[in-house]
C-alpha cells in the first residue's frame, strides 16, 4: 500500500467515525458534562478539606460489622475447578467503602454491541483523598454458563442482570484494592464474630442440633458436616457454627450446590476391617454350657491383652475417617506398621489413636498436612520413596 493510499484510508476511517458520531451536542448533554467535571473537582476539594479520621472509620466499620444483617451477607462461596472459592462479598466491600470515607466507586456500561453479543464495561474505585484509583475495563459476553453448557442471552433483562453480576465482581476487587489490608481483615473477623455470637441465649448444643437439622433438609448428613469441620459435632465451637452458617446461606442463595460443598463422606474403617475378624454375635444355646478345658492340654497361649472398649475403638475410627487416610487396605497397612499383629487391644487402640491425634495437633488441625505427614513417616521408616501412584497411601 502506498503512502497516499494509507492516508486515504485514514481519511476514510475518520470520515466514518465522524458519520457515526452525533451531528450536534444537545444542551442537556453539555450541561451534564459540565456538571460531572465540577462534581469531580468539588469532591477533590472537599476530601482535602475534610480528611478521613481513621479511628472514626474503624469505629464505624465495627459498628456495621456488628449487625447480623450485614454479617450474614458478608461472604460468598462458589465452586471452581473442583474446589470452593470464598471471600468477602461485594456487599461488605460497599459498606467498608462508606465507612472508610472519601471513596467513589461504580460500574458503567460503556458500550453494548448486540451484533457481537457483548458489552464493554468499566468498574472503578477511587480514593479521592489520596488520589488512588483502581479501574478495570472488560468485555462481558451476553452469555451465561449453565450446567448444560453456555446459553446465549437475548432477553434484555437477562443481559442487564448478567452485566450487573459480572460488574459487581469486578467492583468488589476494585474497592478492596484501594482499602488497607488490615481494614478488610478486621472487618472480616468482626463479621465472623457477629455470626458466631448468639444473642438469643440458645446453648451451643441446641445450635448444633439446629444446624444439623437445617443441613439435613438439604440432604447433607451429620457425618459430612463433621468431615467438613474436622471435628465431631460434640466438639463444635461457635466459630464452627459460624462457618456452617456462611455455607448454608451460600447454598440457599444458589452460589454453590450442597454436593459440591459436601462430597460423600469417607468410608469408615472399622476394627473388623483391620483385624479381619467377624463382629461378635450373641452366644447361641450351645454357649450356655461350655465344654470345660482339658487339664492335659496345658495352659494354652497367653492372652495378648484386653480388648479395647467400644468407645475407644470408635474414637480411633472417627480419627481415621476425619484424616481421610484412604481405603481400608491402606489404613490396615498403617495400623499393622504401628502395632504388628494388631488385634484391637486396649493398648494398641490407644497407641494408634495417640499417633493420629498427635499428627493432627502438630499440623494445627490441617487434615491434608497431617495425613501427608503420617504417610511420609511410614514410608521413611520402611525405606520407601514417595512416588506418584504409590500404593501405600493416597
Amino acid at each position: 500500500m502506498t503512502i497516499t493510499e494509507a492516508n486515504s484510508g485514514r481519511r476514510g476511517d475518520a470520515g466514518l467515525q465522524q458519520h457515526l458520531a452525533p451531528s450536534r451536542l444537545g444542551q442537556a448533554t453539555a450541561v451534564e458534562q459540565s456538571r460531572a467535571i465540577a462534581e469531580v473537582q468539588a469532591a477533590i476539594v472537599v476530601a482535602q478539606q475534610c480528611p478521613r479520621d481513621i479511628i472514626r472509620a474503624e469505629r464505624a466499620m465495627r459498628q456495621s460489622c456488628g449487625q447480623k444483617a450485614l454479617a450474614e451477607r458478608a461472604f460468598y462461596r462458589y465452586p471452581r475447578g473442583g474446589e470452593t472459592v470464598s471471600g468477602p462479598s461485594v456487599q461488605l466491600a460497599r459498606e467498608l467503602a462508606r465507612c472508610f470515607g472519601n471513596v467513589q466507586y461504580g460500574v458503567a456500561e460503556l458500550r453494548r454491541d448486540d451484533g457481537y453479543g457483548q458489552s464493554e464495561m468499566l468498574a472503578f474505585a477511587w480514593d479521592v483523598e489520596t488520589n488512588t484509583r483502581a479501574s478495570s475495563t472488560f468485555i462481558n459476553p451476553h452469555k451465561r454458563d449453565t450446567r448444560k453448557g453456555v446459553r446465549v442471552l437475548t432477553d434484555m433483562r437477562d443481559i442487564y442482570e448478567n452485566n450487573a453480576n459480572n460488574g459487581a465482581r469486578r467492583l468488589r476487587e476494585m474497592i478492596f484494592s484501594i482499602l488497607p489490608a488490615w481494614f478488610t481483615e478486621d472487618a472480616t473477623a468482626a463479621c465472623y464474630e457477629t455470626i458466631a455470637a448468639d444473642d438469643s441465649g440458645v446453648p451451643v448444643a441446641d445450635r448444633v442440633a439446629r444446624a444439623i437439622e437445617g443441613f439435613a433438609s438439604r440432604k447433607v448428613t451429620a457425618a459430612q458436616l463433621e468431615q467438613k469441620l474436622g471435628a465431631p459435632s460434640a466438639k463444635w465451637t461457635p466459630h464452627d457454627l459460624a462457618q456452617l452458617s456462611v455455607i448454608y446461606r451460600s447454598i440457599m442463595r444458589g452460589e454453590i450446590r450442597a454436593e459440591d460443598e459436601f462430597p460423600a463422606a469417607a468410608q469408615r474403617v472399622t476394627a473388623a476391617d483391620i483385624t479381619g475378624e467377624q463382629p461378635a454375635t450373641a452366644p447361641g444355646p450351645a454357649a450356655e454350657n461350655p465344654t470345660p478345658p482339658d487339664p492335659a492340654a496345658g495352659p494354652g497361649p497367653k492372652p495378648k491383652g484386653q480388648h479395647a472398649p467400644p468407645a475407644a475403638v470408635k474414637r480411633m475410627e472417627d480419627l481415621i475417617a476425619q484424616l481421610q487416610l484412604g481405603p481400608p487396605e491402606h489404613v490396615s497397612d498403617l495400623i499393622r506398621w504401628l502395632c504388628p499383629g494388631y488385634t484391637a487391644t486396649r493398648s494398641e487402640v490407644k497407641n494408634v489413636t495417640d499417633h493420629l491425634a498427635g499428627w493432627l495437633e502438630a499440623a494445627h488441625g490441617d487434615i491434608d498436612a497431617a495425613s501427608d505427614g503420617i504417610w511420609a513417616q511410614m514410608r521413611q521408616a520402611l525405606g520407601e520413596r514417595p512416588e506418584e501412584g504409590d500404593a501405600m497411601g493416597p
Side-chain angles (χ1 to χ4, degrees):
M1 178 182 293
T2 63
I3 297 178
T4 304
E5 291 173 342
N7 292 335
S8 176
R10 294 192 185 97
R11 285 197 301 271
D13 293 341
L16 178 61
Q17 294 296 330
Q18 185 177 2
H19 175 73
L20 294 176
S23 58
R24 65 184 182 86
L25 196 63
Q27 183 179 2
T29 303
V31 171
E32 182 64 22
Q33 287 180 349
S34 301
R35 186 200 63 79
I37 295 174
E39 183 179 357
V40 171
Q41 293 174 344
I44 296 175
V45 173
V46 171
Q48 296 297 327
Q49 293 178 349
C50 304
R52 71 174 55 91
D53 185 347
I54 294 296
I55 297 178
R56 181 181 299 177
E58 185 177 2
R59 188 184 305 119
M61 174 267 291
R62 294 193 179 279
Q63 183 178 2
S64 296
C65 294
Q67 306 297 320
K68 265 198 170 179
L70 174 65
E72 290 175 346
R73 303 177 61 194
F75 305 98
Y76 69 88
R77 300 175 72 87
Y78 65 90
R80 184 176 65 186
E83 298 180 353
T84 301
V85 180
S86 62
S89 65
V90 65
Q91 287 85 2
L92 180 60
R94 290 169 175 155
E95 182 63 19
L96 294 185
R98 184 193 68 82
C99 296
F100 200 60
N102 289 337
V103 174
Q104 293 188 5
Y105 59 87
V107 179
E109 184 179 11
L110 304 179
R111 182 174 180 270
R112 178 179 297 186
D113 191 334
D114 291 328
Y116 284 95
Q118 62 186 23
S119 294
E120 185 177 356
M121 307 284 295
L122 169 67
F124 73 93
W126 180 26
D127 186 342
V128 184
E129 182 177 331
T130 61
N131 198 26
T132 302
R133 180 183 174 91
S135 63
S136 174
T137 305
F138 58 96
I139 301 297
N140 187 40
H142 298 167
K143 299 177 181 179
R144 179 176 296 161
D145 291 327
T146 65
R147 304 195 184 280
K148 297 181 180 180
V150 179
R151 183 169 72 90
V152 178
L153 304 179
T154 56
D155 185 76
M156 298 299 292
R157 183 179 180 85
D158 291 340
I159 294 175
Y160 161 74
E161 292 178 350
N162 183 57
N163 289 343
N165 290 337
N166 286 279
R169 296 191 186 103
R170 267 73 170 192
L171 178 63
R172 177 189 66 217
E173 298 306 319
M174 296 303 102
I175 295 177
F176 285 136
S177 66
I178 67 170
L179 292 178
W182 65 266
F183 195 74
T184 304
E185 292 175 0
D186 288 354
T188 302
C191 288
Y192 264 114
E193 291 176 0
T194 301
I195 300 175
D198 185 25
D199 300 333
S200 61
V202 178
V204 175
D206 294 342
R207 295 173 60 190
V208 169
R210 191 167 56 190
I212 294 176
E213 181 180 356
F215 275 101
S217 64
R218 312 300 300 182
K219 298 182 180 180
V220 178
T221 64
Q224 290 174 301
L225 296 176
E226 292 176 345
Q227 181 177 340
K228 183 72 175 180
L229 296 177
S233 59
K235 296 185 178 181
W236 288 355
T237 65
H239 286 281
D240 293 330
L241 294 173
Q243 182 179 351
L244 291 180
S245 177
V246 172
I247 297 173
Y248 184 80
R249 294 186 179 278
S250 296
I251 294 175
M252 296 300 294
R253 289 195 295 261
E255 297 173 351
I256 191 171
R257 297 188 304 172
E259 51 266 33
D260 294 331
E261 188 71 36
F262 299 96
Q267 182 182 3
R268 180 177 294 273
V269 181
T270 64
D273 294 330
I274 300 170
T275 60
E277 298 176 354
Q278 296 295 329
T281 57
E288 296 178 359
N289 299 313
T291 304
D294 185 3
K302 185 178 180 180
K304 188 174 182 179
Q306 294 182 348
H307 278 277
V313 176
K314 185 179 184 302
R315 180 167 183 264
M316 180 189 71
E317 294 173 354
D318 289 341
L319 270 174
I320 293 174
Q322 178 183 345
L323 289 169
Q324 304 175 22
L325 295 175
E329 56 269 21
H330 293 168
V331 178
S332 299
D333 293 337
L334 173 64
I335 293 181
R336 294 185 188 280
W337 169 68
L338 291 172
C339 303
Y342 177 83
T343 56
T345 63
R346 185 187 297 269
S347 61
E348 290 173 337
V349 170
K350 183 178 184 302
N351 183 26
V352 174
T353 303
D354 292 344
H355 182 79
L356 301 180
W359 270 105
L360 187 60
E361 182 179 358
H364 303 287
D366 189 330
I367 294 177
D368 292 335
S371 179
D372 292 343
I374 291 170
W375 289 117
Q377 183 188 34
M378 176 180 169
R379 293 188 182 100
Q380 184 178 6
L382 296 177
E384 299 179 359
R385 291 184 177 181
E387 298 178 356
E388 184 178 358
D390 191 352
M392 293 303 298

